[in-house]
Amino acid sequence: MKKYIALFITTLLVAFQLSWPVQAASFSDLATIHPDLSSAVIVLAGEGIIHGYGDGTYRPQATISEQEWARLVLRAKGLPESVSIYSQSPITRINALRLMSNLWQVSFSNATSNFSDISTEDQSMVAYFEQRLVIKGRSAGLFLPQGTLTRAEAAKILLLARNIILAPTADSSVRISQNVVEIIDVSPMSLAPSGTGSLIFTIRNHGDPLSGLVNNNDYHVSVLEGGVIIASVSELGNGLYQVLFRAPSYVPAGSINIQIIAMVGSVYRTDIKEFLQKKNAARVDSARISLAQLIPNSISSGEEAQILITPQDGRGRPVSGLDIVAEVTRGSGDIVDPVVETPLGSGVYVGKYLARGQSGSQIEITVRINNLASRPQTVITGTVR
């Protein structure tokens, strides 16, 4: 598989005269802006990409000049930061998109924006950014193109641009159809300062898991919200991948959002918020097995599948340090790797099952937590194909 060139940038610096780095924890004025804007500021500040002022503020409502915006856009593409030709006057929202499009040489197909205040010549450009959720209107049906761009809006656009517009694109020579990236589980749903968490996802083609894929070549993991830092991304086996992330001590407790972009044959995206919209997580009074899956759950005889277990307590938090036993209680096959917890005390447990038997025969694996008085258990089912 060909390697994709990752254009994700790790150094986008919002630098103003008389300003110097201030950690995100010190920003005293982020409460004045919408949470998705403050999240963008926290994410980029946590990475050392943008900075605030010496008085502990970020000044999110202050405008950004054409010259300052040009510098950021050039850095995002890894181009020389020659900005002397640009004005130091505040840049408008529409001119910010025009400048980004010109410097990045973005191509647009014919499309119509949903905003009613966009000129004919800017329709395709605005529609391009709008469809990729890089921009939003300021009121119902209006983009207000002549309005100025603020520092908060600049942070949000830069975050989305580097994660989406500058994302690697799939190699057209790779012929894979019906490719799907799917988040299986996230633990915990809300992360405290200095806490760690885990995200499990799969990438499938026609239902079959794709193994051996490489982060930043075949797929990319990026933070959209919450200020967490990606600690590692690795394959657990059989097309099952795990993202371990942590929250810096200065990031306040709150929800997180991480996006997975698969780039095999075509580009497919999903994120935690989309996953949560589809899931109604169980809440019980004591630790129980909230999710148990065989991945894939339809497997040929002689092939292996992952056993994935995520116990949670009554508040939906992952539970570490459990003794989990899996045994085949129906059909043929063997547990070839015992169920053990993945690194960093993530509360995610993985084992391995080797399928045997005739095509169409049923698989039943009973999973039990041995070191809890209630000894909760559940049954995982699958099919030999």
Side-chain angles (χ1 to χ4, degrees):
M1 183 178 298
K2 292 185 178 180
K3 302 295 185 184
Y4 305 111
I5 300 175
L7 296 178
F8 295 93
I9 306 303
T10 58
T11 54
L12 300 176
L13 173 64
V14 178
F16 292 82
Q17 289 183 345
L18 303 179
S19 69
W20 54 88
V22 176
Q23 275 197 329
S26 302
F27 295 155
S28 59
D29 52 355
L30 294 187
T32 62
I33 57 177
H34 193 276
D36 70 337
L37 295 175
S38 62
S39 290
V41 173
I42 290 172
V43 168
L44 295 180
E47 297 176 11
I49 292 173
I50 61 175
H51 305 285
Y53 288 84
D55 61 358
T57 64
Y58 178 70
R59 304 181 193 176
Q61 304 289 9
T63 59
I64 184 170
S65 73
E66 180 184 66
Q67 187 175 101
E68 291 160 343
W69 178 245
R71 180 177 290 111
L72 292 175
V73 172
L74 289 167
R75 284 181 181 168
K77 193 74 181 287
L79 299 172
E81 297 173 30
S82 178
V83 297
S84 58
I85 64 173
Y86 299 103
S87 167
Q88 295 189 28
S89 299
I91 193 169
T92 63
R93 288 158 60 81
I94 194 67
N95 282 339
L97 296 185
R98 289 169 180 163
L99 192 151
M100 178 183 286
S101 302
N102 290 335
L103 292 179
W104 286 357
Q105 297 182 331
V106 182
S107 299
F108 311 119
S109 57
N110 291 329
T112 302
S113 168
N114 291 318
F115 299 123
S116 60
D117 56 352
I118 301 302
S119 63
T120 301
E121 60 268 25
D122 289 324
Q123 283 288 333
S124 295
M125 177 190 70
V126 173
Y128 175 89
F129 290 102
E130 182 184 354
Q131 291 166 4
R132 287 156 179 80
L133 305 180
V134 173
I135 60 172
K136 294 181 180 179
R138 282 188 171 172
S139 60
L142 298 176
F143 181 63
L144 302 185
Q146 299 307 318
T148 53
L149 185 69
T150 69
R151 281 168 55 86
E153 291 172 329
K156 183 67 174 181
I157 290 174
L158 283 171
L159 179 66
L160 294 178
R162 75 163 190 179
N163 290 348
I164 299 174
I165 295 179
L166 293 186
T169 57
D171 187 339
S172 60
S173 67
V174 180
R175 301 300 181 187
I176 295 184
S177 60
Q178 294 189 14
N179 190 27
V180 176
V181 55
E182 177 186 4
I183 292 176
I184 302 298
D185 198 49
V186 180
S187 298
M189 299 298 183
S190 179
L191 200 61
S194 300
T196 60
S198 168
L199 181 155
I200 304 290
F201 69 95
T202 62
I203 299 176
R204 297 189 179 100
N205 178 40
H206 290 280
D208 293 328
L210 299 176
S211 296
L213 301 183
V214 179
N215 185 30
N216 285 341
N217 292 328
D218 308 308
Y219 64 89
H220 181 75
V221 180
S222 58
V223 177
L224 295 182
E225 183 179 340
V228 299
I229 296 171
I230 302 299
S232 67
V233 185
S234 58
E235 185 178 5
L236 298 174
N238 296 97
L240 187 66
Y241 299 83
Q242 181 178 36
V243 180
L244 295 176
F245 52 89
R246 61 182 177 84
S249 59
Y250 59 79
V251 173
S255 62
I256 58 176
N257 195 17
I258 294 174
Q259 176 180 248
I260 312 296
I261 304 177
M263 306 166 296
V264 188
S266 297
V267 177
Y268 298 83
R269 297 180 175 91
T270 191
D271 60 45
I272 291 176
K273 284 191 173 180
E274 181 178 329
F275 162 74
L276 291 179
Q277 290 174 355
K278 302 175 182 178
K279 177 177 178 179
N280 213 347
R283 295 291 181 266
V284 295
D285 294 332
S286 60
R288 68 181 296 271
I289 299 171
S290 66
L291 178 134
Q293 287 191 9
L294 189 66
I295 300 176
N297 65 358
S298 177
I299 182 172
S300 299
S301 180
E303 293 184 350
E304 296 177 343
Q306 301 294 120
I307 302 169
L308 174 65
I309 313 294
T310 58
Q312 293 181 351
D313 64 14
R315 297 175 62 184
R317 298 172 301 189
V319 182
S320 293
L322 297 178
D323 176 20
I324 300 181
V325 174
E327 58 181 328
V328 179
T329 50
R330 181 180 179 186
S332 302
D334 302 291
I335 307 298
V336 293
D337 283 345
V339 177
V340 296
E341 189 173 8
T342 60
L344 294 183
S346 61
V348 176
Y349 300 76
V350 176
K352 189 175 292 183
Y353 164 79
L354 175 63
R356 301 189 188 280
Q358 299 294 322
S359 176
S361 60
Q362 298 300 302
I363 303 167
E364 181 180 278
I365 300 173
T366 299
V367 178
R368 181 177 64 255
I369 301 177
N370 269 347
N371 58 340
L372 291 179
S374 60
R375 293 170 66 85
Q377 69 178 39
T378 191
V379 174
I380 303 173
T381 60
T383 306
V384 177
R385 64 184 181 189

